[in-house]
């Protein structure tokens, strides 16, 4: 059984003595091509298998209408994963991209094109980044019910950095296309 670290302490590398703060991470998952639930479960498993990344919660699964996608895009399955980690944000982003690639995510010039798997870093502790490779906190997540609702299910008192309580943000977005799938669930160990 994996022990969840205390987010208020600092992890120290036993070989170098380098100190690594433990950060709370919010990761959003989505899939609207292929075996959607299998892809989400694979992403949860891959995240849980990541060294120094401790999954602490997985939200219920939601089926959602595509947002700003091509007209022929099918509905998504979405979920949110909470974790604690000592990994740097850039390494987390590399891991997210590697997981997407493992599920044959195809990138195109079409904005929000259908995909087998989407793994988005929403928040990585108090980290801020405005690089092309990594934007933190995620620049549009505070406007997306398919991120806010599953996150709210896990942490109703969570606060989106610089935006406020996610419960308030959720009240301000259209959640009509976001339906909880009671018949589907994701497992984590």
């Amino acid at each position: 059984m994996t022990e969840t670290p205390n987010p208020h302490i600092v992890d120290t590398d036993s070989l170098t003595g380098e100190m690594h703060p433990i950060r709370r991470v919010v990761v959003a998952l989505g899939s609207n091509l292929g075996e959607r639930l299998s892809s989400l479960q694979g992403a949860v498993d891959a995240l849980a298998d990541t060294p120094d990344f401790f999954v602490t919660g997985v939200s219920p699964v939601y089926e959602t209408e595509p947002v700003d996608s091509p007209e022929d895009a099918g509905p998504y399955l979405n979920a949110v994963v909470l974790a604690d980690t000592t990994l740097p944000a850039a390494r987390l982003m590399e891991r997210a991209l590697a997981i997407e690639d493992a599920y044959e995510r195809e990138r195109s010039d079409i904005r929000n094109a259908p995909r087998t798997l989407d793994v988005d870093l929403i928040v990585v502790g108090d980290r801020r980044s405005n690089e092309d490779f990594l934007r933190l906190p995620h620049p549009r997540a505070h406007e997306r019910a398919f991120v806010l609702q599953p996150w709210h299910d896990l942490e109703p008192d969570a606060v989106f950095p610089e935006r406020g309580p996610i419960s308030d943000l959720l009240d301000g977005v259209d959640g009509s296309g976001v339906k909880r799938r009671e018949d589907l669930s994701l497992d984590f160990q």
Side-chain angles (χ1 to χ4, degrees):
M1 180 170 195
T2 303
E3 185 176 324
T4 303
N6 181 334
H8 303 292
I9 64 171
V10 174
D11 182 41
T12 304
D13 186 305
S14 59
L15 293 176
T16 66
E18 182 180 359
M19 297 176 71
H20 303 281
I22 296 175
R23 295 182 185 91
R24 171 58 108 200
V25 179
V26 179
V27 179
L29 306 176
S31 175
N32 74 335
L33 286 178
E35 298 294 325
R36 300 176 302 162
L37 185 63
S38 178
S39 294
L40 294 186
Q41 184 62 63
V44 170
D45 294 344
L47 288 168
D49 286 344
T50 302
D52 299 320
F53 189 91
F54 306 92
V55 174
T56 60
V58 177
S59 76
V61 176
Y62 283 82
E63 190 158 41
T64 63
E65 293 301 317
V67 175
D68 298 330
S69 294
E71 286 187 28
D72 61 342
Y76 277 85
L77 289 183
N78 292 99
V80 164
V81 174
L82 297 181
D84 293 323
T85 189
T86 57
L87 295 173
R91 188 166 308 151
L92 290 173
M93 188 64 193
E94 290 169 358
R95 179 67 172 153
L97 293 172
I99 294 168
E100 289 178 350
D101 288 346
Y103 283 84
E104 300 177 358
R105 159 86 185 261
E106 291 184 21
R107 303 191 188 288
S108 77
D109 293 336
I110 300 171
R111 181 173 160 84
N112 297 323
R115 56 204 60 174
T116 55
L117 184 62
D118 196 20
V119 180
D120 286 334
L121 298 180
I122 305 302
V123 174
V124 178
D126 62 354
R127 290 290 172 244
R128 304 289 184 269
S129 177
N130 201 23
E131 302 294 322
D132 288 340
F133 175 69
L134 176 63
R135 299 195 189 280
L136 287 172
H138 191 284
R140 291 174 307 284
H142 68 281
E143 303 168 343
R144 306 290 201 215
F146 61 83
V147 172
L148 297 173
Q149 184 59 63
W151 185 5
H152 184 268
D153 290 346
L154 291 173
E155 287 188 316
D157 59 343
V159 175
F160 197 102
E162 302 170 10
R163 300 291 181 175
I166 60 171
S167 57
D168 292 350
L169 295 171
L170 190 55
D171 289 342
V173 297
D174 178 9
S176 61
V178 179
K179 307 289 184 225
R180 186 169 173 168
R181 291 287 305 265
E182 299 290 346
D183 59 321
L184 302 177
S185 65
L186 297 169
D187 299 317
F188 80 100
Q189 299 176 4

